[in-house]
Amino acid sequence: MSLLKIDEMTQRFGGLQAVSKFEIELQGGELVGLIGPNGAGKTTIFNLVSGFYQPTEGGISFNGSNTAGLKPHQVTSMGIARTFQNIRLWHDMTVMDNIRIAQHYRKGYSVFDAFLRTKKYRDSEKRIENIAWEMLEAMDLKEFAHELPKNLPYGLQRRVEIARAMSIKPKLLLLDEPAAGLNSADVEGLIKLVRWIHDNFDITIWMIEHQMKVVMSLCQYIKCIDFGATIAEGTPEQIQNDPTVIKAYLGDDTI
Amino acid sequence: MRKYSLNIAFAVGCLLIVAGAQAGLFNLYVQSVILFMGINIILSSSLNLVNGNMGEFSCGHAAFMCVGAYVSSIVTVLLFAQNKILGAPLLPPDLAPFFFPIAIIVGGVVAALVGILVAVPSFKTRGDYLAIITIAVNYMVISGIENLDIVGGPRGFMGMKQVVYAMSDVVDIPWMMIWTLLGTAFTLWILRRYISSTYGKGVNAICQDEIAAEIMSVNTNKIKLVTFMLSSGLAGIAGGLFAHVIGYVNPQSFNILKSTECLVMVYLGGMGSLSGSVLSAVLFTLMLEALRPLQIIKWVIIPLILVLLMQFRPEGIMGNKELSDVFPKLRRYFTFK
Ligand SMILES: Nc1ncnc2c1ncn2[C@@H]1O[C@H](COP(=O)(O)OP(=O)(O)OP(=O)(O)O)[C@@H](O)[C@H]1O
Ligand SMILES: [Mg+2]
């Protein structure tokens, strides 16, 4: 059984067909890329997978169950975590709190447990805190636990966002342009980090990225879309030399 | 020790106030000011949960206060007082001190249920539109009660003084002072526990980025429901206490002006700061009393203060910080958990 299977998924916004008949099947354990020019529909695909939109047509199944009709928080608790193209941390809460809140789905206590500070509450909070510290430690962020994300440099904010997604312990991690806005040293760090996550966790990573260097050095398989439709797919070498991809990126000079 | 020091300090303070009231150290006027402080603390801190922590703009807080006031008053009057419509008391007056807190809680629970009226639209609506819904709920509640003749309609509802006398007949202690201080303590206790739990931190996550919250596994609709219900339930408790302190309620005492008072306290104290809400409620009560001789001019001065506040310190007294953030040394003596 595949981990993620998307079947002829189409998304329309009014007259605009942002995604058309998109298909992908991830078996688990891969590191896959999604590329395409601006406005191609990449983020929309991630929004569909994370339950933010319901596809106009077609379906998504994760781990064998259909995600249609599920709310984003339910999709996330099934094991799909993501980051955003423009970092979306909670900027006025500490890094630690950012990571704690991302574990909402596994808190397992009711609001009355929180009022009464029952054993269930205390155990659960302890567990959440331990997981958060573990993740901060693993991501080398421990010293920033009590900082506010807005006071951190951009590169670190990216790392915090990835740590927050990872603390969900997802089976599928969606990264939306993780290298956007990073300087070249940070990009190197990011490549290492993603590879390290892929090697050390039982996880599938699907990333959108514009920087060819990042995609080419990380991904085993790449899908390229333009105007919502898949125009090419294959290994990094195949994609790099594919004339349709080159045309989509550089423009069609016959016009 | 540090863990309990704040609670102990609070308890000692309350005991001193009750003892002082019992010994006649403060006259009735001072006592009533303290009572209003307590009620205002409940109102401002519960509204702050929605407006400060969750970042919604509720401007109909008095609606829930009204529901709590009427429901608990009807229960106590039905049980312990002679009333033209509701008839003779159902229970012997000796039981009044036991049933009083239950009646207040019933008022809070019904107010929390009315809070669903705002919570459900908030799933889809935000900001200005939700603010309009809260105003609408405020009007709905008031007009609803004005049209209910059984509770006196626009003339109001009374008989709560009898209930308070019934309690004093059992043991002559300042009952309303005790209940109000307990209500205040309960409110602060429950709010502090809520917003410092991972559960309640979801409220701040919704405020700062609702989409990120939902995608990061926070069930935003449920949190909104719980938060609105908690906030309105506590306002209902404040209303119940208010009704029994005054001894008389009418729908117009819970109109939009009362809601505005709650808003002023929240903004004065600082959005999302629990200690700010307490501080501002105390200051606001004192200010109202100080301005009382000015009578109607008061309502020129208070909005003016609000205008100046928004101009020169829009973040309120405390900003979004707690007392322990402003004076970190205080952490040595207590913890905010
Ligand atoms: N909620 C929406 N309503 C209407 N149109 C939308 C919506 N979301 C996206 N679109 C449109 O769909 C198209 C695809 O957008 P999308 O954000 O998926 O592109 P992208 O491939 O991620 O581009 P970029 O590389 O710039 O991030 C764009 O034309 C965009 O304007
Ligand atoms: Mg995008």
Side-chain angles (χ1 to χ4, degrees):
Chain A
M1 187 180 59
S2 50
L3 181 71
L4 178 77
K5 190 164 189 298
I6 300 182
D7 247 348
E8 304 226 327
M9 177 173 75
T10 296
Q11 175 70 8
R12 277 185 217 101
F13 295 115
L16 178 84
Q17 184 131 333
V19 177
S20 61
K21 299 205 181 267
F22 183 82
E23 289 191 312
I24 199 168
E25 190 165 353
L26 303 179
Q27 295 302 337
E30 298 125 307
L31 210 170
V32 181
L34 180 62
I35 63 171
N38 287 109
K42 305 179 296 295
T43 300
T44 306
I45 291 175
F46 275 16
N47 285 341
L48 286 159
V49 173
S50 49
F52 197 66
Y53 304 132
Q54 297 295 328
T56 319
E57 281 162 31
I60 303 167
S61 71
F62 183 70
N63 250 341
S65 48
N66 199 319
T67 65
L70 293 185
K71 292 224 147 68
H73 74 92
Q74 292 167 319
V75 174
T76 306
S77 54
M78 288 168 76
I80 303 181
R82 70 173 282 188
T83 62
F84 298 90
Q85 188 167 350
N86 323 305
I87 297 176
R88 296 189 90 140
L89 290 164
W90 299 297
H91 280 285
D92 285 314
M93 281 188 281
T94 60
V95 168
M96 182 67 186
D97 280 347
N98 267 271
I99 302 218
R100 274 174 62 180
I101 294 167
Q103 302 176 55
H104 239 252
Y105 77 96
R106 67 160 79 93
K107 62 187 185 307
Y109 62 79
S110 76
V111 68
F112 296 102
D113 290 307
F115 293 158
L116 300 173
R117 298 273 145 114
T118 57
K119 182 155 168 27
K120 202 162 154 196
Y121 168 85
R122 281 177 279 130
D123 290 348
S124 166
E125 289 281 330
K126 189 90 219 140
R127 202 175 60 235
I128 287 173
E129 196 163 331
N130 289 342
I131 292 173
W133 279 120
E134 262 169 41
M135 195 44 69
L136 288 175
E137 170 104 67
M139 296 279 178
D140 218 3
L141 286 166
K142 224 173 161 180
E143 59 192 299
F144 307 108
H146 300 296
E147 301 278 341
L148 298 182
K150 65 178 176 194
N151 299 333
L152 296 177
Y154 203 74
L156 272 178
Q157 293 187 18
R158 281 275 179 216
R159 193 127 57 91
V160 173
E161 208 193 17
I162 295 175
R164 181 177 71 172
M166 282 304 292
S167 71
I168 286 171
K169 300 206 169 158
K171 294 190 208 64
L172 174 63
L173 176 64
L174 308 174
L175 300 173
D176 194 347
E177 300 199 25
L182 298 188
N183 61 36
S184 55
D186 282 344
V187 170
E188 286 304 323
L190 177 87
I191 292 175
K192 280 208 197 91
L193 178 68
V194 173
R195 188 170 290 135
W196 178 81
I197 290 174
H198 187 243
D199 292 344
N200 285 279
F201 294 85
D202 173 25
I203 199 169
T204 308
I205 298 177
W206 187 10
M207 69 192 297
I208 297 175
E209 189 47 69
H210 270 306
Q211 296 196 29
M212 281 306 151
K213 188 178 143 202
V214 180
V215 200
M216 295 303 161
S217 63
L218 280 171
C219 301
Q220 304 150 342
Y221 193 81
I222 296 168
K223 245 175 147 45
C224 179
I225 61 170
D226 194 13
F227 296 112
T230 307
I231 56 168
E233 53 190 297
T235 61
E237 292 74 37
Q238 287 169 335
I239 290 291
Q240 236 164 350
N241 302 318
D242 194 310
T244 42
V245 175
I246 296 167
K247 204 163 75 184
Y249 268 91
L250 300 179
D252 192 342
D253 42 23
T254 59
I255 296 174
Chain B
M1 188 60 207
R2 207 166 55 111
K3 202 170 158 194
Y4 300 107
S5 55
L6 191 62
N7 300 352
I8 293 171
F10 194 87
V12 169
C14 291
L15 276 177
L16 285 179
I17 292 173
V18 172
Q22 175 71 350
L25 285 182
F26 334 117
N27 60 27
L28 284 178
Y29 173 68
V30 175
Q31 286 190 31
S32 76
V33 173
I34 296 176
L35 288 169
F36 285 123
M37 270 180 198
I39 291 165
N40 281 340
I41 289 174
I42 303 177
L43 287 173
S44 65
S45 55
S46 59
L47 182 60
N48 201 352
L49 181 64
V50 167
N51 286 36
N53 293 79
M54 197 154 69
E56 295 292 358
F57 192 76
S58 165
C59 24
H61 208 47
F64 310 114
M65 195 186 170
C66 182
V67 172
Y70 269 87
V71 170
S72 60
S73 300
I74 291 167
V75 173
T76 56
V77 169
L78 188 69
L79 294 179
F80 301 109
Q82 180 70 41
N83 182 286
K84 276 202 290 294
I85 302 153
L86 302 175
L90 295 179
L91 291 177
D94 302 352
L95 294 175
F98 303 101
F99 280 87
F100 183 80
I102 296 175
I104 295 287
I105 288 170
V106 169
V109 169
V110 177
L113 294 176
V114 174
I116 297 176
L117 275 182
V118 177
V120 171
S122 82
F123 295 169
K124 294 249 181 290
T125 324
R126 269 204 87 108
D128 307 355
Y129 301 101
L130 190 65
I132 290 170
I133 291 172
T134 61
I135 296 176
V137 168
N138 202 158
Y139 276 100
M140 270 160 61
V141 167
I142 291 181
S143 321
I145 291 177
E146 278 183 339
N147 287 301
L148 267 184
D149 262 340
I150 190 156
V151 292
R155 279 163 287 119
F157 184 76
M158 60 179 104
M160 288 77 88
K161 272 277 179 277
Q162 283 181 57
V163 178
V164 179
Y165 293 146
M167 286 193 284
S168 302
D169 286 343
V170 181
V171 195
D172 190 18
I173 50 174
W175 281 108
M176 281 324 293
M177 185 63 86
I178 293 173
W179 295 127
T180 304
L181 291 175
L182 279 175
T184 311
F186 173 75
T187 301
L188 296 177
W189 173 82
I190 215 167
L191 285 175
R192 200 160 63 132
R193 291 194 155 193
Y194 185 54
I195 58 184
S196 63
S197 68
T198 298
Y199 198 118
K201 278 179 201 285
V203 177
N204 287 60
I206 290 176
C207 172
Q208 289 174 28
D209 190 334
E210 185 172 344
I211 288 170
E214 179 73 29
I215 298 255
M216 288 297 142
S217 87
V218 177
N219 186 347
T220 52
N221 285 356
K222 189 168 171 199
I223 298 260
K224 284 179 185 173
L225 184 69
V226 169
T227 305
F228 272 113
M229 287 181 76
L230 180 58
S231 166
S232 44
L234 292 171
I237 289 179
L241 293 166
F242 176 82
H244 289 84
V245 165
I246 305 263
Y248 160 79
V249 283
N250 73 349
Q252 285 305 328
S253 19
F254 305 103
N255 62 13
I256 212 82
L257 211 57
K258 189 82 199 172
S259 298
T260 311
E261 276 183 36
C262 303
L263 280 173
V264 172
M265 286 190 282
V266 169
Y267 287 87
L268 183 66
M271 305 291 272
S273 165
L274 192 56
S275 37
S277 290
V278 174
L279 214 61
S280 70
V282 170
L283 282 178
F284 186 76
T285 317
L286 291 175
M287 199 163 73
L288 277 188
E289 291 308 318
L291 296 175
R292 192 176 287 277
L294 296 177
Q295 293 182 356
I296 204 76
I297 306 221
K298 180 168 90 171
W299 284 109
V300 176
I301 309 251
I302 289 170
L304 191 66
I305 291 173
L306 193 61
V307 170
L308 293 175
L309 185 75
M310 290 295 126
Q311 278 292 311
F312 298 105
R313 197 171 162 81
E315 70 274 28
I317 301 173
M318 302 291 294
N320 61 356
K321 298 193 172 68
E322 294 297 340
L323 214 50
S324 54
D325 300 326
V326 181
F327 303 106
K329 280 190 182 155
L330 286 173
R331 291 222 184 95
R332 266 190 250 155
Y333 307 109
F334 70 84
T335 57
F336 181 76
K337 276 279 152 60

